[in-house]
Amino acid sequence: MAVSIFSSSNVVLTNEHLNYATVKEAIQNCSKLIFVGVRENDTPLPHLKCENDSINGKLIKIEAISLVDAVFKLKKALDEAQILDAVAYIHEENVKECTAVKKLLFPEKCNVRFEVFPINGVVGAWKSIGNETFNFESEVKTYLESVPRNEDLKTVKSNMIPDEIFIHGYSTRYGGCSTWPTMASLNLSYSLRKPDSLLVVKENARRLSQHLGFAHENYHLAKANHGKEIWVYEKQAPNSYDGIVTQTPGVLVASPAADCNMLLLADPVTKACGAIHAGWKGILVGVVESAVNAMTSNYNSEPKNIIASLGPSLSVCCCEFGVDESKKFLEISENVVVWKKGKEKPHLDLRLAVRILLEKSGLKPENIDDGIRGLNPTQALATCTKCDPTKTFFSYRRDGPMFGNCVAFISLK
């Protein structure tokens, strides 16, 4: 039976009891220790203890049921402590396996190494799951599907997009398996700069697709490069695109955001639809107009028939911007730039900016649901992603560079 200890600077593994005299040199500078024990044949783990009280005060104890489960729970413990650099000392029999699983569960940003503990007889081996030819990716995918949700997967949708024609909405933070605090738990966008692996993000997307009744292979996410290119799904995809439009039934298109506007377009007449990432840079270069044009030129949509929905985003209350950037929005409307008493910098009403551009593109004001105005506005869509006390949605301004992403999604039934 193997019991393991992990820390932010060194990691020690032992069987049932940590002999402090034996390993104190390796762990004395550790700020955090994490015991990970793997059960065998449903046998309960022994009581984990160390005769040194100062070490006991640093301990986090975790029980796992397999090697993959142990590595995932190690990642969860490190994520919750926001540790990106660690050494894991393990039995030599498990080094290759743990390293293979780590590459699938930990992103490149995380510098976690699995090494053999330098003192013989201290470390016990975990049960092997495969050799060099074993399909570790399949094993990890299956495991991630089994990771329980801490909360139900939840979405919100517009009152104005007809449910009998389209499946649509906006994801929330709930129902996924991401474990970094500001990305927990339904992060739906992968980045080399963030502590979520590609497989974890794909599993989150699979959960969303399954929740909506779609096969994951029919889920397509815009790249959010802050430009104005739109992918017309029935044509070849450009290298960069901030939105996707389609007229193909059963295809779920989506766009990510974490403060930026998530725009959905739906034409109940031609049955065309689209999801667009409309950040402040994209707004200025014309992504809103480009998306409407993609609908009209490829699907013969008439702007007067298009229904638009704007998801939760950074509201004017929290959208402070530099003076130089704000001046550029005066070309859209003076009402977009809001000066608050006593503030040196203006605030931007980006939701209003998108509405104005949609109206200039020919959409009827009553067909635009921004949560405030429209024929039947959806109040939940007006939520400010930064200052919402429930923190239902991800926010770059609130969470910093390690932010997660929600998505806007839509499909023709």
Side-chain angles (χ1 to χ4, degrees):
M1 182 177 298
V3 176
S4 314
I5 305 174
F6 297 86
S7 82
S8 58
S9 55
N10 291 289
V11 183
V12 181
L13 282 78
T14 182
N15 285 329
E16 298 182 8
H17 186 79
L18 173 60
N19 186 297
Y20 181 64
T22 304
V23 299
K24 66 178 181 180
E25 186 173 339
I27 67 173
Q28 60 185 353
N29 295 321
C30 294
S31 60
K32 190 175 295 294
L33 300 174
I34 305 171
F35 279 94
V36 180
V38 179
R39 295 202 312 264
E40 294 182 7
N41 301 320
D42 295 325
T43 303
L45 290 174
H47 176 64
L48 302 175
K49 62 182 178 180
C50 173
E51 61 265 29
N52 184 280
D53 290 338
S54 66
I55 296 299
N56 278 325
K58 300 179 181 180
L59 292 180
I60 298 175
K61 303 174 184 180
I62 297 171
E63 184 170 312
I65 59 174
S66 69
L67 185 146
V68 175
D69 188 40
V71 176
F72 179 81
K73 287 179 176 176
L74 165 62
K75 181 184 188 303
K76 184 175 185 291
L78 293 175
D79 281 355
E80 289 174 349
Q82 299 189 39
I83 295 171
L84 293 171
D85 194 333
V87 176
Y89 288 120
I90 59 177
H91 194 280
E92 60 183 350
E93 292 182 11
N94 298 130
V95 170
K96 290 184 178 179
E97 292 174 289
C98 286
T99 300
V101 173
K102 181 211 76 170
K103 289 180 179 179
L104 297 167
L105 286 177
F106 286 79
E108 293 181 19
K109 183 178 182 67
C110 296
N111 185 28
V112 176
R113 292 88 68 203
F114 287 93
E115 300 177 4
V116 178
F117 189 67
I119 303 174
N120 292 331
V122 173
V123 174
W126 290 338
K127 184 178 179 181
S128 175
I129 59 172
N131 53 31
E132 290 83 355
T133 62
F134 184 75
N135 190 339
F136 287 101
E137 183 169 339
S138 177
E139 184 78 9
V140 172
K141 283 182 177 178
T142 300
Y143 170 79
L144 288 174
E145 291 179 8
S146 72
V147 173
R149 300 171 181 173
N150 291 330
E151 60 283 295
D152 292 337
L153 197 153
K154 301 175 184 177
T155 62
V156 297
K157 63 181 182 178
S158 168
N159 295 328
M160 291 172 53
I161 295 179
D163 289 335
E164 64 273 17
I165 302 175
F166 302 100
I167 294 172
H168 82 283
Y170 303 89
S171 68
T172 66
R173 297 182 60 157
Y174 308 124
C177 60
S178 299
T179 52
W180 189 270
T182 53
M183 301 176 75
S185 62
L186 194 70
N187 171 44
L188 289 164
S189 183
Y190 172 71
S191 169
L192 290 172
R193 302 187 302 273
K194 298 179 186 178
D196 240 358
S197 74
L198 182 59
L199 277 191
V200 168
V201 175
K202 284 184 175 181
E203 168 57 19
N204 289 340
R206 187 200 66 81
R207 292 184 180 201
L208 176 64
S209 300
Q210 183 183 57
H211 177 77
L212 300 172
F214 287 85
H216 178 48
E217 53 266 26
N218 292 332
Y219 169 85
H220 301 279
L221 182 67
K223 295 185 177 182
N225 291 318
H226 303 280
K228 67 174 183 178
E229 293 295 319
I230 304 296
W231 176 22
V232 178
Y233 177 77
E234 291 77 13
K235 299 180 180 180
Q236 185 173 352
N239 292 328
S240 172
Y241 50 93
D242 276 70
I244 311 172
V245 294
T246 186
Q247 204 178 32
T248 303
V251 171
L252 185 66
V253 298
S255 63
D259 285 340
C260 295
N261 280 290
M262 297 182 285
L263 173 63
L264 293 177
L265 299 177
D267 182 352
V269 178
T270 63
K271 296 181 173 56
C273 59
I276 297 89
H277 168 260
W280 71 270
K281 292 180 180 179
I283 292 171
L284 289 175
V285 299
V287 71
V288 175
E289 300 94 316
S290 183
V292 175
N293 182 64
M295 298 271 286
T296 58
S297 60
N298 290 280
Y299 308 123
N300 295 319
S301 292
E302 294 185 41
K304 66 179 183 180
N305 295 326
I306 297 175
I307 299 170
S309 172
L310 286 167
S313 64
L314 189 69
S315 296
V316 64
C317 55
C318 295
C319 194
E320 184 181 79
F321 259 74
V323 175
D324 292 339
E325 291 89 352
S326 299
K327 287 179 179 178
K328 299 173 183 178
F329 285 88
L330 294 174
E331 296 181 10
I332 298 174
S333 172
E334 292 183 354
N335 295 329
V336 172
V337 183
V338 179
W339 288 91
K340 296 195 173 186
K341 187 177 181 180
K343 298 290 185 179
E344 294 183 1
K345 295 180 180 180
H347 285 225
L348 295 180
D349 192 340
L350 296 178
R351 189 182 300 272
L352 176 61
V354 174
R355 165 176 278 278
I356 290 171
L357 293 173
L358 288 170
E359 291 180 12
K360 288 182 178 180
S361 297
L363 272 70
K364 294 180 177 180
E366 62 268 26
N367 283 350
I368 303 170
D369 183 4
D370 59 8
I372 304 169
R373 297 162 288 264
L375 190 62
N376 183 21
T378 311
Q379 186 175 355
L381 301 186
T383 300
C384 177
T385 47
K386 180 184 177 183
C387 68
D388 170 28
T390 67
K391 297 184 178 181
T392 297
F393 305 94
F394 293 112
S395 169
Y396 165 70
R397 291 276 185 115
R398 182 190 65 226
D399 299 331
M402 301 299 188
F403 63 93
N405 282 92
C406 298
V407 298
F409 58 85
I410 191 165
S411 174
L412 173 64
K413 287 186 174 180

